[in-house]
Amino acid sequence: MSLALSPKRTALMPGPWAKNDLWRKAKAVPSLDLRFAESKSLADAVTGQSLVTFTRASSGTYVDSDGLIKTAATNAPRFDHNPSTGESLGLLVEEARTNLLTYSEQFDNANWIKYQTTVTANAAVAPDGNTTADLLAENTSTDVHLCRTAYVITAQKTFSVFAKQSGRSIIQLFCSGTTDYANFDLGNGVLGVVSAGISATITALSNGWYRCSIYFPAVPDYVQVALCTSTSAGRGGSSYAGNGTSGIYLWGAQAEAGASPTSYIPTTTASVTRSADVASITGAGLLSFFNNAQGTFYAAAATSSSSASANQMIVSAGDGAAAANQITIYRSGASLLSIVSSAGVLQVNQNSGISAASYKFGFGYQANNFGFSVNANTAQTSSSGATPVVVNTLDIGKWHVSSSGYWNSTISRLTYWPQRLSNPTLQAITQ
Protein backbone atom coordinates (compact mmCIF):
# COMPACT_ATOMS: atom_id res chain seq x y z
CA MET A 1 0.00 0.00 0.00
CA SER A 2 1.44 3.32 -1.06
CA LEU A 3 1.49 6.18 1.41
CA ALA A 4 2.45 8.75 -1.20
CA LEU A 5 0.29 11.86 -1.23
CA SER A 6 -1.46 12.94 -4.38
CA PRO A 7 -0.07 16.03 -6.16
CA LYS A 8 -3.18 17.97 -5.08
CA ARG A 9 -2.76 16.94 -1.44
CA THR A 10 0.95 17.80 -1.54
CA ALA A 11 0.20 21.27 -2.83
CA LEU A 12 -2.14 21.90 0.08
CA MET A 13 0.37 20.86 2.73
CA PRO A 14 1.78 23.92 4.55
CA GLY A 15 5.52 24.44 4.57
CA PRO A 16 7.54 24.95 7.75
CA TRP A 17 7.20 28.70 7.17
CA ALA A 18 3.52 28.44 8.16
CA LYS A 19 4.51 28.34 11.85
CA ASN A 20 4.85 32.13 12.04
CA ASP A 21 2.99 35.00 10.40
CA LEU A 22 6.15 36.76 9.19
CA TRP A 23 7.55 33.49 7.86
CA ARG A 24 4.22 32.83 6.18
CA LYS A 25 4.27 36.19 4.41
CA ALA A 26 7.83 35.48 3.25
CA LYS A 27 6.96 31.87 2.35
CA ALA A 28 10.42 30.99 3.58
CA VAL A 29 12.06 29.99 6.85
CA PRO A 30 14.69 32.52 7.95
CA SER A 31 18.12 31.55 9.17
CA LEU A 32 17.93 34.12 12.00
CA ASP A 33 14.92 35.48 13.85
CA LEU A 34 15.48 37.70 16.89
CA ARG A 35 12.07 38.41 18.44
CA PHE A 36 13.14 40.92 21.05
CA ALA A 37 9.67 42.23 21.93
CA GLU A 38 7.98 38.83 21.95
CA SER A 39 10.60 36.79 23.81
CA LYS A 40 12.37 39.54 25.79
CA SER A 41 15.59 37.68 25.10
CA LEU A 42 18.51 37.59 22.68
CA ALA A 43 17.80 33.99 21.66
CA ASP A 44 17.34 33.12 17.99
CA ALA A 45 13.82 31.74 17.43
CA VAL A 46 15.04 29.52 14.57
CA THR A 47 17.77 27.60 16.40
CA GLY A 48 17.17 28.52 20.04
CA GLN A 49 20.81 29.61 20.28
CA SER A 50 22.08 32.88 21.72
CA LEU A 51 24.19 34.26 18.89
CA VAL A 52 24.20 37.89 20.05
CA THR A 53 27.04 39.20 22.20
CA PHE A 54 25.78 42.03 24.39
CA THR A 55 27.77 44.44 26.55
CA ARG A 56 27.19 47.68 28.45
CA ALA A 57 29.84 48.78 30.90
CA SER A 58 27.36 50.23 33.38
CA SER A 59 23.87 49.71 34.70
CA GLY A 60 20.96 51.24 32.79
CA THR A 61 17.28 51.94 33.37
CA TYR A 62 14.28 50.79 31.38
CA VAL A 63 10.49 50.66 31.73
CA ASP A 64 9.18 47.26 32.82
CA SER A 65 5.80 45.72 31.92
CA ASP A 66 4.27 47.14 35.12
CA GLY A 67 5.05 50.67 33.92
CA LEU A 68 7.74 51.23 36.55
CA ILE A 69 11.31 52.27 35.86
CA LYS A 70 13.71 49.45 36.71
CA THR A 71 17.49 49.10 36.61
CA ALA A 72 19.36 46.50 34.56
CA ALA A 73 22.78 45.40 35.79
CA THR A 74 26.05 45.90 33.92
CA ASN A 75 26.08 43.92 30.63
CA ALA A 76 22.39 42.99 30.97
CA PRO A 77 20.21 43.83 27.94
CA ARG A 78 17.21 46.07 28.50
CA PHE A 79 13.82 45.12 27.08
CA ASP A 80 11.75 48.27 27.21
CA HIS A 81 7.95 48.69 27.44
CA ASN A 82 5.40 51.33 26.65
CA PRO A 83 5.21 53.19 29.99
CA SER A 84 1.44 53.70 29.88
CA THR A 85 0.20 50.44 28.28
CA GLY A 86 2.89 47.95 29.32
CA GLU A 87 3.34 46.78 25.70
CA SER A 88 6.70 45.11 25.09
CA LEU A 89 8.73 47.28 22.70
CA GLY A 90 11.88 45.21 22.33
CA LEU A 91 15.61 45.68 22.81
CA LEU A 92 16.66 49.16 23.91
CA VAL A 93 19.93 50.24 22.25
CA GLU A 94 21.36 53.61 23.27
CA GLU A 95 24.60 55.51 22.96
CA ALA A 96 26.55 56.57 26.03
CA ARG A 97 25.00 59.58 27.74
CA THR A 98 25.83 61.58 30.87
CA ASN A 99 23.33 63.18 33.22
CA LEU A 100 25.10 66.42 34.02
CA LEU A 101 22.72 67.38 36.81
CA THR A 102 23.42 66.36 40.37
CA TYR A 103 20.79 65.39 42.96
CA SER A 104 18.41 64.34 40.19
CA GLU A 105 15.80 63.13 42.69
CA GLN A 106 16.49 65.56 45.56
CA PHE A 107 14.85 68.88 44.77
CA ASP A 108 15.10 69.82 48.44
CA ASN A 109 18.89 69.94 48.05
CA ALA A 110 20.54 73.36 47.92
CA ASN A 111 21.69 72.53 44.41
CA TRP A 112 18.10 73.26 43.38
CA ILE A 113 17.46 76.96 43.95
CA LYS A 114 13.87 77.76 44.89
CA TYR A 115 12.04 81.01 44.13
CA GLN A 116 8.67 81.60 45.81
CA THR A 117 8.40 77.85 46.31
CA THR A 118 9.17 75.22 48.92
CA VAL A 119 10.06 71.56 48.51
CA THR A 120 8.80 68.65 50.58
CA ALA A 121 11.07 65.64 50.15
CA ASN A 122 9.78 62.12 49.55
CA ALA A 123 6.17 63.24 49.33
CA ALA A 124 4.87 60.75 46.76
CA VAL A 125 5.56 57.45 45.01
CA ALA A 126 7.95 58.04 42.12
CA PRO A 127 7.95 56.41 38.64
CA ASP A 128 10.27 53.69 39.98
CA GLY A 129 7.77 52.66 42.67
CA ASN A 130 9.71 54.16 45.57
CA THR A 131 8.54 57.08 47.72
CA THR A 132 11.22 59.47 46.53
CA ALA A 133 9.25 62.06 44.54
CA ASP A 134 9.35 65.61 45.90
CA LEU A 135 6.56 68.19 46.07
CA LEU A 136 7.41 71.61 44.64
CA ALA A 137 4.74 73.87 46.16
CA GLU A 138 4.00 77.58 45.65
CA ASN A 139 4.05 80.07 48.52
CA THR A 140 1.43 82.80 48.92
CA SER A 141 3.30 85.54 47.02
CA THR A 142 1.91 87.13 43.87
CA ASP A 143 4.83 86.32 41.62
CA VAL A 144 6.30 83.56 39.50
CA HIS A 145 6.95 80.28 41.34
CA LEU A 146 9.84 78.09 40.23
CA CYS A 147 13.03 76.22 40.97
CA ARG A 148 16.23 76.00 38.95
CA THR A 149 19.49 74.13 38.92
CA ALA A 150 22.70 75.60 40.24
CA TYR A 151 24.47 73.85 37.36
CA VAL A 152 25.51 76.19 34.54
CA ILE A 153 24.94 74.65 31.11
CA THR A 154 27.61 75.48 28.54
CA ALA A 155 26.30 73.75 25.41
CA GLN A 156 23.09 72.64 23.70
CA LYS A 157 21.33 70.09 25.86
CA THR A 158 18.09 68.19 26.33
CA PHE A 159 16.53 68.78 29.73
CA SER A 160 13.88 66.39 31.04
CA VAL A 161 12.03 65.82 34.28
CA PHE A 162 9.27 63.53 35.51
CA ALA A 163 6.26 65.48 36.77
CA LYS A 164 2.81 64.82 38.23
CA GLN A 165 0.07 67.28 39.13
CA SER A 166 -0.69 68.13 42.76
CA GLY A 167 -2.99 71.13 42.82
CA ARG A 168 -1.21 72.64 39.82
CA SER A 169 -1.36 70.83 36.50
CA ILE A 170 0.77 73.03 34.24
CA ILE A 171 4.53 73.50 34.27
CA GLN A 172 6.99 75.30 32.07
CA LEU A 173 10.55 74.24 31.32
CA PHE A 174 12.74 77.17 30.33
CA CYS A 175 16.25 78.50 30.70
CA SER A 176 18.02 81.75 31.40
CA GLY A 177 20.26 83.07 28.66
CA THR A 178 17.83 82.12 25.85
CA THR A 179 14.24 82.76 24.81
CA ASP A 180 13.43 79.03 24.76
CA TYR A 181 10.54 77.53 26.70
CA ALA A 182 7.78 74.91 26.56
CA ASN A 183 4.56 74.50 28.54
CA PHE A 184 3.22 71.10 29.61
CA ASP A 185 -0.33 70.20 30.63
CA LEU A 186 -0.07 67.35 33.14
CA GLY A 187 -3.83 67.11 33.50
CA ASN A 188 -4.38 66.19 29.85
CA GLY A 189 -0.92 64.94 28.92
CA VAL A 190 -0.39 67.45 26.10
CA LEU A 191 1.98 70.23 25.15
CA GLY A 192 0.92 73.83 25.56
CA VAL A 193 2.62 76.77 23.88
CA VAL A 194 6.18 76.03 22.76
CA SER A 195 8.55 78.76 21.61
CA ALA A 196 9.59 78.79 17.96
CA GLY A 197 12.30 76.34 16.92
CA ILE A 198 12.06 74.30 20.11
CA SER A 199 11.69 70.52 20.29
CA ALA A 200 9.59 69.39 23.25
CA THR A 201 7.90 66.12 24.22
CA ILE A 202 5.53 64.84 26.88
CA THR A 203 5.36 61.09 27.50
CA ALA A 204 2.80 59.37 29.71
CA LEU A 205 3.86 56.87 32.37
CA SER A 206 1.76 55.01 34.91
CA ASN A 207 0.04 56.52 37.95
CA GLY A 208 -0.39 60.02 36.48
CA TRP A 209 3.29 60.67 35.79
CA TYR A 210 4.67 62.30 32.65
CA ARG A 211 8.18 62.79 31.40
CA CYS A 212 8.53 66.32 30.04
CA SER A 213 11.52 67.25 27.89
CA ILE A 214 12.83 70.24 25.98
CA TYR A 215 15.84 70.58 23.68
CA PHE A 216 17.68 73.90 23.82
CA PRO A 217 19.33 74.57 20.42
CA ALA A 218 20.83 77.76 21.86
CA VAL A 219 23.29 77.58 24.76
CA PRO A 220 21.37 78.18 28.03
CA ASP A 221 22.65 79.04 31.49
CA TYR A 222 20.28 77.41 33.97
CA VAL A 223 17.38 75.06 33.38
CA GLN A 224 14.26 75.97 35.32
CA VAL A 225 10.87 74.50 36.23
CA ALA A 226 8.02 76.98 36.77
CA LEU A 227 4.49 76.40 38.03
CA CYS A 228 1.91 77.89 35.67
CA THR A 229 -1.79 78.68 35.58
CA SER A 230 -2.08 78.61 31.78
CA THR A 231 -0.68 76.49 28.95
CA SER A 232 -0.10 79.73 27.02
CA ALA A 233 2.17 81.25 29.68
CA GLY A 234 5.08 83.18 28.23
CA ARG A 235 8.74 82.53 28.99
CA GLY A 236 9.34 82.62 32.75
CA GLY A 237 5.94 81.20 33.63
CA SER A 238 2.80 82.71 35.12
CA SER A 239 2.75 85.38 37.79
CA TYR A 240 -0.12 84.65 40.15
CA ALA A 241 -1.13 84.67 43.82
CA GLY A 242 -0.14 81.32 45.26
CA ASN A 243 -2.26 79.51 47.84
CA GLY A 244 0.66 78.07 49.79
CA THR A 245 -0.13 74.41 49.12
CA SER A 246 -0.62 73.66 45.42
CA GLY A 247 2.24 72.45 43.30
CA ILE A 248 3.75 69.67 41.25
CA TYR A 249 5.47 66.41 42.14
CA LEU A 250 8.94 66.21 40.58
CA TRP A 251 11.45 63.40 40.12
CA GLY A 252 14.32 62.38 37.88
CA ALA A 253 15.76 65.56 36.37
CA GLN A 254 18.26 65.05 33.56
CA ALA A 255 20.40 67.27 31.31
CA GLU A 256 22.25 65.46 28.54
CA ALA A 257 24.00 66.16 25.26
CA GLY A 258 21.70 65.17 22.39
CA ALA A 259 18.56 66.34 20.63
CA SER A 260 16.20 63.98 22.46
CA PRO A 261 16.07 62.40 25.94
CA THR A 262 17.37 58.91 26.58
CA SER A 263 16.62 56.54 29.46
CA TYR A 264 16.81 58.06 32.92
CA ILE A 265 20.23 58.22 34.63
CA PRO A 266 19.95 58.82 38.42
CA THR A 267 22.55 61.00 40.15
CA THR A 268 23.43 62.17 43.65
CA THR A 269 26.59 64.19 44.38
CA ALA A 270 28.12 63.94 40.90
CA SER A 271 27.17 63.51 37.27
CA VAL A 272 26.77 59.92 36.06
CA THR A 273 27.43 58.31 32.68
CA ARG A 274 25.44 55.41 31.30
CA SER A 275 27.64 53.39 28.94
CA ALA A 276 26.58 52.44 25.42
CA ASP A 277 24.66 49.27 24.58
CA VAL A 278 26.56 47.05 22.14
CA ALA A 279 24.75 44.11 20.52
CA SER A 280 26.61 42.26 17.79
CA ILE A 281 27.05 38.91 16.07
CA THR A 282 30.49 37.89 14.81
CA GLY A 283 32.63 34.87 13.97
CA ALA A 284 31.02 31.45 13.82
CA GLY A 285 27.69 32.85 14.96
CA LEU A 286 27.51 35.11 11.90
CA LEU A 287 28.70 32.38 9.53
CA SER A 288 25.95 30.09 10.81
CA PHE A 289 23.19 32.14 9.14
CA PHE A 290 24.66 34.81 6.83
CA ASN A 291 24.97 34.52 3.05
CA ASN A 292 27.37 37.00 1.51
CA ALA A 293 26.07 36.52 -2.05
CA GLN A 294 22.38 37.16 -1.37
CA GLY A 295 19.95 37.62 1.47
CA THR A 296 17.10 39.63 2.99
CA PHE A 297 16.91 41.67 6.17
CA TYR A 298 13.68 42.53 7.98
CA ALA A 299 13.38 44.68 11.08
CA ALA A 300 10.71 46.46 13.09
CA ALA A 301 11.83 49.41 15.21
CA ALA A 302 10.43 52.50 16.93
CA THR A 303 11.88 55.98 16.61
CA SER A 304 12.81 58.16 19.57
CA SER A 305 12.07 61.57 18.00
CA SER A 306 10.55 63.15 14.91
CA SER A 307 13.92 63.32 13.17
CA ALA A 308 17.51 62.19 13.62
CA SER A 309 20.16 64.84 14.16
CA ALA A 310 22.77 62.23 13.19
CA ASN A 311 22.65 58.91 11.34
CA GLN A 312 20.90 56.23 13.41
CA MET A 313 21.47 52.60 12.43
CA ILE A 314 18.95 49.80 12.86
CA VAL A 315 21.26 47.11 11.48
CA SER A 316 24.75 47.32 10.01
CA ALA A 317 26.68 44.36 8.56
CA GLY A 318 30.22 44.76 7.28
CA ASP A 319 33.93 44.20 7.74
CA GLY A 320 33.93 45.76 11.21
CA ALA A 321 36.85 48.05 10.42
CA ALA A 322 35.84 50.52 7.72
CA ALA A 323 32.97 51.64 5.52
CA ALA A 324 34.52 49.81 2.56
CA ASN A 325 32.19 46.81 2.86
CA GLN A 326 28.76 47.20 4.40
CA ILE A 327 25.03 46.71 4.25
CA THR A 328 23.43 49.28 6.53
CA ILE A 329 19.84 50.36 7.11
CA TYR A 330 19.68 53.67 8.91
CA ARG A 331 17.70 56.80 9.60
CA SER A 332 18.90 60.22 8.56
CA GLY A 333 16.80 63.29 9.24
CA ALA A 334 13.25 61.94 9.12
CA SER A 335 13.76 59.21 6.54
CA LEU A 336 14.93 55.59 6.43
CA LEU A 337 17.74 54.71 4.01
CA SER A 338 19.66 51.65 2.80
CA ILE A 339 23.27 51.66 1.70
CA VAL A 340 25.61 49.01 0.26
CA SER A 341 29.36 49.35 -0.27
CA SER A 342 31.78 46.82 -1.76
CA ALA A 343 35.57 47.05 -1.81
CA GLY A 344 35.41 50.74 -0.95
CA VAL A 345 32.91 51.65 -3.70
CA LEU A 346 29.35 52.77 -2.99
CA GLN A 347 27.01 50.36 -4.76
CA VAL A 348 23.50 51.25 -3.55
CA ASN A 349 22.09 54.31 -1.79
CA GLN A 350 18.30 54.23 -1.46
CA ASN A 351 16.24 56.85 0.38
CA SER A 352 12.72 55.71 1.23
CA GLY A 353 11.55 59.27 1.88
CA ILE A 354 9.31 57.87 4.61
CA SER A 355 9.01 59.58 7.99
CA ALA A 356 7.22 57.57 10.68
CA ALA A 357 7.04 56.94 14.43
CA SER A 358 8.01 53.33 13.73
CA TYR A 359 9.43 51.40 10.81
CA LYS A 360 9.16 47.96 9.29
CA PHE A 361 11.59 47.39 6.44
CA GLY A 362 12.57 44.61 4.09
CA PHE A 363 15.90 44.87 2.27
CA GLY A 364 16.95 42.24 -0.25
CA TYR A 365 20.40 42.07 -1.84
CA GLN A 366 22.06 40.15 -4.63
CA ALA A 367 24.52 41.24 -7.31
CA ASN A 368 22.71 43.69 -9.62
CA ASN A 369 19.45 43.01 -7.77
CA PHE A 370 18.58 45.13 -4.72
CA GLY A 371 15.18 45.96 -3.24
CA PHE A 372 14.08 48.13 -0.33
CA SER A 373 10.51 48.34 1.02
CA VAL A 374 9.46 50.39 4.06
CA ASN A 375 6.10 50.25 5.84
CA ALA A 376 4.35 48.29 3.06
CA ASN A 377 5.36 50.69 0.29
CA THR A 378 6.36 49.41 -3.16
CA ALA A 379 9.99 48.33 -3.10
CA GLN A 380 12.63 50.65 -4.50
CA THR A 381 14.96 48.68 -6.74
CA SER A 382 18.48 48.91 -8.09
CA SER A 383 19.72 46.65 -10.90
CA SER A 384 23.38 47.57 -10.64
CA GLY A 385 25.91 46.89 -7.91
CA ALA A 386 27.96 44.28 -6.12
CA THR A 387 27.53 42.80 -2.66
CA PRO A 388 30.16 43.42 0.04
CA VAL A 389 33.41 41.48 -0.36
CA VAL A 390 33.86 40.93 3.38
CA VAL A 391 31.17 40.68 6.06
CA ASN A 392 32.35 39.47 9.46
CA THR A 393 30.35 41.66 11.86
CA LEU A 394 26.67 42.46 12.29
CA ASP A 395 25.78 45.22 14.72
CA ILE A 396 22.25 45.80 15.99
CA GLY A 397 21.31 49.41 16.66
CA LYS A 398 24.70 50.94 15.79
CA TRP A 399 27.21 51.25 12.96
CA HIS A 400 29.47 48.25 12.50
CA VAL A 401 32.60 50.39 12.14
CA SER A 402 32.68 52.30 15.42
CA SER A 403 30.76 53.32 18.51
CA SER A 404 28.54 55.69 16.59
CA GLY A 405 25.24 55.82 14.78
CA TYR A 406 23.19 54.48 17.70
CA TRP A 407 19.49 53.89 17.13
CA ASN A 408 18.70 55.35 20.58
CA SER A 409 15.37 53.56 20.76
CA THR A 410 13.88 50.07 20.66
CA ILE A 411 14.11 47.32 18.05
CA SER A 412 11.29 44.81 18.36
CA ARG A 413 12.43 42.25 15.78
CA LEU A 414 15.33 41.48 13.44
CA THR A 415 14.98 38.66 10.91
CA TYR A 416 17.26 37.41 8.13
CA TRP A 417 16.73 35.05 5.18
CA PRO A 418 19.78 33.70 3.30
CA GLN A 419 18.08 34.35 -0.04
CA ARG A 420 16.91 37.44 -1.92
CA LEU A 421 13.14 37.57 -1.42
CA SER A 422 11.08 39.01 -4.26
CA ASN A 423 10.07 42.67 -4.33
CA PRO A 424 6.35 41.91 -3.73
CA THR A 425 7.42 39.78 -0.76
CA LEU A 426 9.50 42.64 0.65
CA GLN A 427 6.36 44.75 0.55
CA ALA A 428 4.23 42.00 2.09
CA ILE A 429 6.47 41.37 5.09
CA THR A 430 6.46 45.07 6.03
CA GLN A 431 2.67 45.38 6.24
Side-chain angles (χ1 to χ4, degrees), residues 302-321:
T303 60
S304 58
S305 60
S306 59
S307 64
S309 58
N311 293 340
Q312 295 177 312
M313 319 300 179
I314 297 179
V315 62
S316 181
D319 57 22

Side-chain angles (χ1 to χ4, degrees), residues 104-299:
S104 64
E105 300 171 17
Q106 297 169 255
F107 293 87
D108 60 321
N109 188 274
N111 227 42
W112 289 93
I113 298 170
K114 276 70 74 174
Y115 183 77
Q116 309 295 14
T117 56
T118 59
V119 171
T120 302
N122 304 328
V125 176
D128 65 351
N130 297 310
T131 307
T132 53
D134 294 348
L135 174 64
L136 177 72
E138 62 201 31
N139 63 16
T140 57
S141 299
T142 300
D143 204 339
V144 295
H145 305 82
L146 57 86
C147 71
R148 71 167 176 85
T149 65
Y151 172 79
V152 178
I153 295 178
T154 57
Q156 296 92 339
K157 295 290 185 293
T158 290
F159 173 62
S160 60
V161 66
F162 296 86
K164 178 180 178 179
Q165 61 182 343
S166 177
R168 294 294 169 198
S169 60
I170 300 168
I171 63 169
Q172 180 183 102
L173 304 185
F174 72 107
C175 60
S176 56
T178 78
T179 59
D180 304 332
Y181 70 92
N183 295 320
F184 303 84
D185 182 347
L186 305 177
N188 298 297
V190 297
L191 288 171
V193 172
V194 178
S195 59
I198 293 302
S199 172
T201 62
I202 181 168
T203 303
L205 286 87
S206 60
N207 197 28
W209 283 96
Y210 293 90
R211 192 181 194 187
C212 305
S213 79
I214 181 171
Y215 172 64
F216 300 114
V219 178
D221 295 326
Y222 305 100
V223 291
Q224 307 184 64
V225 181
L227 305 176
C228 296
T229 57
S230 169
T231 56
S232 60
R235 182 192 171 279
S238 307
S239 178
Y240 63 92
N243 60 25
T245 58
S246 294
I248 297 289
Y249 293 118
L250 295 175
W251 185 82
Q254 186 156 307
E256 56 190 304
S260 59
T262 59
S263 59
Y264 172 54
I265 306 167
T267 68
T268 52
T269 60
S271 61
V272 173
T273 297
R274 181 200 61 244
S275 299
D277 300 290
V278 180
S280 61
I281 305 175
T282 60
L286 182 66
L287 293 175
S288 70
F289 71 86
F290 190 79
N291 182 356
N292 199 70
Q294 62 173 300
T296 300
F297 282 102
Y298 164 89

